[in-house]
């Protein structure tokens, strides 16, 4: 069996290249095809007449360095994009340390420059500066070691050409990602329009039902003095209509509200995925009142926006807990943390939670991410045992209870 520490070392980080490929349905091995270019290590000695081609020194250097190169290449694919550049620098160090005896190691230098762009092309300026520093270090070291002038020119030119190709490919990928997000946004807007249509239908249903109940109650009032039994039948029919309509409305509204919050979570995942932040979340409670669900959706949206813009995180999580008379939502990220002052976003979230009668707590230790905890009370209606109540107690009084379960007075 593979030791645990080795398995963990080779596990893909949530924002790694391998994890991105898996989320897109691609094979995790697809980027490994680029390792084929490293076979120049074995071809270079054919043109290296100064060192007599394949020598014992070349063999020993290859046996010692090539496995290290493959290990660094794998870690760039598996490591977080925030730390993968260190492995690219490791390739450069590997090349420079062997440059005096091993010209074939120049392939490692080219890989180092290219893989720096693979780590995080969003920070293009940092990438360009690092590539320039690597090329300056190479030219200085190669000139000091007495390399042919042609190699002092051809290697930086080669790196510049590959640098341009990588940058263009990255811009194309960003455009494709933006196009995918726009498609998702269109689908979300279509779903929102559908929910609005359902809301209008519910309005029409309630209007018709309430009109019918009103007519029956008016008729029962007129019949009360002349025909008590007929008036009683009209009231019973109005009660049946009301109960039936209430059941239909509850069923429909519960599905619509759950879809609203679920849509907000799906939109949050799309937003964070575009920022290379992996979001995990569970299913939200489906029995929340509309005002509470809308408030939590807006708080969730603001928190996710803050993570995408400021947290510099690679993973986020939304947790739900439905307790007896409250609902708890926790939003956690592994960003840099250290929130010292609250801007407009956090102030707005506090105001929304306060309007719901809830509390908002923030734990943000520098270097350990941020945990945002929202607790909102949820009114609960309990059924009351009416067997011990007077038979003449009104039905609405028998069914109405407070959160504590005591009959309303």
């Amino acid at each position: 069996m593979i030791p645990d520490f080795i398995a963990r070392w080779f596990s893909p980080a949530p924002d790694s290249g391998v994890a991105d490929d898996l989320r897109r349905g691609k094979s995790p091995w697809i980027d490994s095809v680029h390792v084929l270019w490293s076979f120049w290590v074995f071809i270079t000695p054919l043109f290296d007449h100064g060192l007599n081609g394949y020598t014992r020194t070349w063999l020993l250097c290859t046996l010692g360095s090539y496995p290290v190169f493959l290990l660094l290449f794998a870690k760039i694919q598996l490591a977080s994009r925030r730390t993968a550049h260190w492995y690219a620098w490791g390739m450069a160090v590997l090349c420079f340390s062997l440059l005096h005896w091993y010209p074939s190691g120049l392939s490692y230098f080219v890989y180092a420059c290219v893989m720096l762009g693979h780590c995080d092309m969003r920070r293009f300026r940092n990438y360009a500066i690092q590539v320039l520093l690597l090329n300056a270090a190479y030219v200085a070291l190669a000139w000091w070691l007495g390399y042919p002038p042609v190699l002092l020119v051809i290697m930086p030119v080669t790196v510049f050409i590959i640098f341009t190709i990588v940058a263009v490919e990255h811009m194309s990928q960003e455009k494709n990602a933006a196009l995918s997000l726009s498609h998702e946004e269109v689908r979300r807007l279509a779903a929102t329009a559908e929910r609005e249509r359902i809301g209008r239908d519910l309005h029409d249903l309630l209007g018709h039902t309430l009109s019918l109940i009103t007519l029956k109650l008016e008729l029962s009032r007129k019949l009360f003095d002349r025909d008590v039994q007929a008036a009683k039948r009209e009231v019973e029919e109005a009660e049946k209509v009301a109960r039936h309509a209430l059941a239909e409305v509850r069923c429909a509204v519960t599905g619509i509200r759950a879809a609203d919050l679920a849509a907000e979570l799906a939109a949050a995942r799309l937003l964070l995925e575009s920022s290379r932040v992996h979001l995990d979340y569970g299913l939200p409670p489906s029995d929340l009142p509309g005002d509470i669900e809308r408030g939590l959706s807006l708080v969730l949206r603001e928190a996710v926006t803050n993570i995408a813009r400021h947290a510099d995180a690679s993973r986020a999580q939304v947790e739900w807990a439905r307790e007896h008379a409250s609902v708890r939502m926790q939003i956690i990220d592994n960003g840099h943390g250290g929130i010292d002052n609250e801007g407009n976003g956090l102030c707005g979230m506090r105001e929304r939670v306060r309007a719901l009668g809830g509390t908002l707590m923030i734990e943000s230790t520098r270097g350990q991410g941020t945990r945002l905890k929202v607790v909102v009370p949820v009114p609960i209606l309990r059924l009351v045992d009416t067997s011990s109540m007077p038979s003449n107690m009104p039905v609405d009084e028998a069914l109405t209870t407070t959160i504590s379960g005591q009959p309303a007075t």
Side-chain angles (χ1 to χ4, degrees), residues 41 47 52 54 71 84 96 119 143 178 197 257 290 312 321 374:
V41 170
F47 311 99
N52 298 320
Y54 299 97
L71 182 63
F96 294 157
C119 297
W143 176 77
R197 184 193 63 79
R257 288 172 182 169
D312 194 24
V374 178

Side-chain angles (χ1 to χ4, degrees), residues 307-369:
I307 293 174
R309 291 180 178 176
H310 309 300
D312 194 24
S314 62
R315 177 182 288 274
Q317 186 173 2
V318 180
E319 298 177 351
W320 302 92
R322 182 69 165 89
E323 299 177 350
H324 176 64
S326 65
V327 60
R328 183 175 74 247
M329 177 178 70
Q330 288 194 109
I331 305 172
I332 308 165
D333 69 73
N334 65 344
H336 53 64
I339 298 178
D340 298 325
N341 51 14
E342 298 187 2
N344 294 331
L346 289 177
C347 291
M349 283 191 284
R350 285 197 182 278
E351 292 175 0
R352 295 186 190 280
V353 174
R354 191 181 301 115
L356 297 174
T359 59
L360 184 147
M361 293 173 286
I362 299 176
E363 301 175 7
S364 185
T365 304
R366 186 170 297 279
Q368 298 182 17

Side-chain angles (χ1 to χ4, degrees), residues 148-189:
V150 64
L151 286 179
L152 300 182
V153 176
I154 195 171
M155 293 305 298
V157 171
T158 301
V159 168
F160 175 78
I161 293 173
I162 299 177
F163 170 90
T164 304
I165 294 173
V166 171
V168 171
E169 288 180 346
H170 172 74
M171 288 188 290
S172 176
Q173 291 174 358
E174 288 293 324
K175 289 182 179 180
N176 291 337
L179 182 61
S180 177
L181 286 175
S182 66
H183 289 167
E184 294 293 339
E185 182 66 14
V186 169
R187 284 192 285 268
R188 190 172 75 88
L189 291 175

Side-chain angles (χ1 to χ4, degrees), residues 125 162 185 208 221 237 249 307 313 329 378 389 399:
R125 183 178 178 182
I162 299 177
E185 182 66 14
H208 172 74
R221 177 173 56 80
E237 290 179 5
V249 169
I307 293 174
M329 177 178 70
V378 179
M389 294 184 178
L399 293 177

Side-chain angles (χ1 to χ4, degrees), residues 323-325 378-386 389 396-408:
E323 299 177 350
H324 176 64
V378 179
I380 294 181
L381 296 179
R382 295 181 178 177
L383 294 179
V384 179
D385 184 5
T386 60
M389 294 184 178
D396 57 346
E397 183 177 347
L399 293 177
T400 304
T401 61
T402 60
I403 294 177
S404 61
Q406 298 298 324

Side-chain angles (χ1 to χ4, degrees), residues 55-273:
T55 63
R56 180 178 297 179
T57 301
W58 175 88
L59 179 61
L60 292 176
C61 289
T62 301
L63 293 177
S65 65
Y66 194 73
V68 177
F69 161 76
L70 293 178
L71 182 63
L72 293 171
F73 183 90
K75 282 302 296 181
I76 291 174
Q77 305 293 330
L78 296 168
S80 168
R81 294 185 184 273
R82 295 184 297 171
T83 59
H85 66 279
W86 294 113
Y87 300 101
W89 276 92
M91 290 182 177
V93 171
L94 181 65
C95 168
F96 294 157
S97 62
L98 299 174
L99 200 58
H100 181 64
W101 310 277
Y102 192 57
S104 296
L106 289 174
S107 295
Y108 304 155
F109 170 76
V110 176
Y111 267 95
C113 295
V114 174
M115 301 309 282
L116 278 174
H118 174 82
C119 297
D120 197 350
M121 274 293 289
R122 291 176 300 164
R123 302 175 180 178
F124 184 82
R125 183 178 178 182
N126 291 342
Y127 171 45
I129 292 174
Q130 292 183 74
V131 170
L132 289 175
L133 290 175
L134 280 177
N135 279 271
Y138 159 74
V139 170
L141 183 58
W143 176 77
W144 182 68
L145 293 174
Y147 268 59
V150 64
L151 286 179
L152 300 182
V153 176
I154 195 171
M155 293 305 298
V157 171
T158 301
V159 168
F160 175 78
I161 293 173
I162 299 177
F163 170 90
T164 304
I165 294 173
V166 171
V168 171
E169 288 180 346
H170 172 74
M171 288 188 290
S172 176
Q173 291 174 358
E174 288 293 324
K175 289 182 179 180
N176 291 337
L179 182 61
S180 177
L181 286 175
S182 66
H183 289 167
E184 294 293 339
E185 182 66 14
V186 169
R187 284 192 285 268
R188 190 172 75 88
L189 291 175
T192 301
E194 178 66 13
R195 289 195 295 273
E196 291 175 352
R197 184 193 63 79
I198 294 174
R200 291 192 296 270
D201 292 345
L202 287 176
H203 178 270
D204 295 340
L205 172 64
L206 287 177
H208 172 74
T209 302
L210 291 176
S211 298
L212 180 59
I213 292 173
T214 301
L215 290 174
K216 287 189 171 294
L217 291 178
E218 287 179 353
L219 180 59
S220 67
R221 177 173 56 80
K222 294 177 181 179
L223 293 174
F224 186 79
D225 294 331
R226 292 181 295 173
D227 190 345
V228 176
Q229 294 298 325
K232 184 178 180 181
R233 285 195 300 271
E234 294 295 334
V235 171
E236 289 175 350
E237 290 179 5
E239 180 184 358
K240 291 179 182 179
V241 172
R243 290 184 183 278
H244 178 71
L246 181 61
E248 289 184 343
V249 169
R250 282 178 175 171
C251 180
V253 170
T254 298
I256 295 171
R257 288 172 182 169
D260 284 338
L261 198 48
E264 193 62 47
L265 286 167
R269 170 169 284 180
L270 288 171
L271 173 63
L272 292 179
E273 292 287 353

